[in-house]
Amino acid sequence: MGLKKIVLFWFVGLLCCKAQEPSVQKNYFKSYDDKVIGSVYFFDTSNSFQFASIADGKTNYLNLIPNRREQIGFSLSYKLIDISYGVSPLFFDVNKDNSNSRLVNFGTRFIVKQWMQTFLYVNQKGFYAVDDTFSASFPRMRSIKIGGTTSYIFNPKFSFKTIANQNQWQTKSSGSFIPTLSIYNTYLNLNDGNDDNKSNIWLATLAPSYYYNWVISNHVLVSSGIAVGAGFNDVDGDFSGVIESTINLKLGYNSDSFFTFVNLNYSNFVQNNNNPVRFNENIATLRVTAGYRFDPPKKVKQLYDKGAKAIGL
């Protein structure tokens, strides 16, 4: 899968974020970088796939849909440190029916001045296949996705941190043009002992996007974003063009101590219609979060400041 190369690529990209800090008017957003932020969340995500083939002039679709695994968890963050842990409890009805399914989801985001770098890892086990005539279960099937995005935020008055986490809050409505480069590698395996039932998929797109934070009041905000772009897809050496579309919505409430929000993100990657066999992909995420900010203990602050100074942050 080239895991080491992918991690190295994103790490180097992060270190190369050398944009000069713009002077931003203080009244456009408020920073909570000096606070410890603790939160609990409900998380529902899926990475589904669709194979489309043309036979006798008719397009047939086979959908590979992961068994849902809803999660609850907690996160704790302070400055650049962000720790989270989630579980899939059986008291959720959807988890009872999919007790043999697995979902491991890890994501992190770095915003350095006006550059933004994300990293994503999703490991899913348990799928079912659906087309117009049948439905079949593949409990041992596994998908592993690894990759991320690199973006540049043109407007320094726009706070993407308001969307991504809660150590910043937009106080005056603002938007920004944000071009984004995405690179992902996905590995599919039916785990049936047949090497022909494995696929290695590379995806790369460049998508211009626009995001806007609409401040309704001092405590309530609605955020939305849309991206449309293009790139290429490589499925086991079969190269083709691909179109990307992404939608992001967020409704949040914020005070200096307490906050809560609902965030919905949907990304769709569709291959060129001229291909006789096409591989399309959807990534959907729903997150509901509530949290609290508080001052860090003195010893924690001293330890962090000492470590940050030692590594030049």
Side-chain angles (χ1 to χ4, degrees), residues 111-141:
I111 299 179
V112 181
K113 299 175 183 178
Q114 287 172 253
W115 287 93
M116 179 168 62
Q117 182 73 55
T118 72
F119 181 81
L120 176 69
Y121 174 83
V122 181
N123 189 328
Q124 299 176 132
K125 178 188 175 185
F127 282 74
Y128 60 97
V130 179
D131 71 0
D132 294 335
T133 60
F134 82 100
S135 175
S137 175
F138 293 90
R140 298 181 61 188
M141 180 179 175

Side-chain angles (χ1 to χ4, degrees), residues 29-37 77-79 166-171 218 254-258 293-294:
F29 49 80
K30 185 173 184 179
S31 176
Y32 297 101
D33 279 340
D34 59 338
K35 299 288 186 179
V36 175
I37 304 172
S77 64
Y78 176 60
K79 295 185 182 293
Q166 296 304 307
N167 62 358
Q168 205 171 83
W169 181 257
Q170 191 92 46
T171 56
N218 291 336
N254 181 75
S255 67
D256 288 342
S257 55
F258 174 78
R293 303 184 187 93
F294 54 93

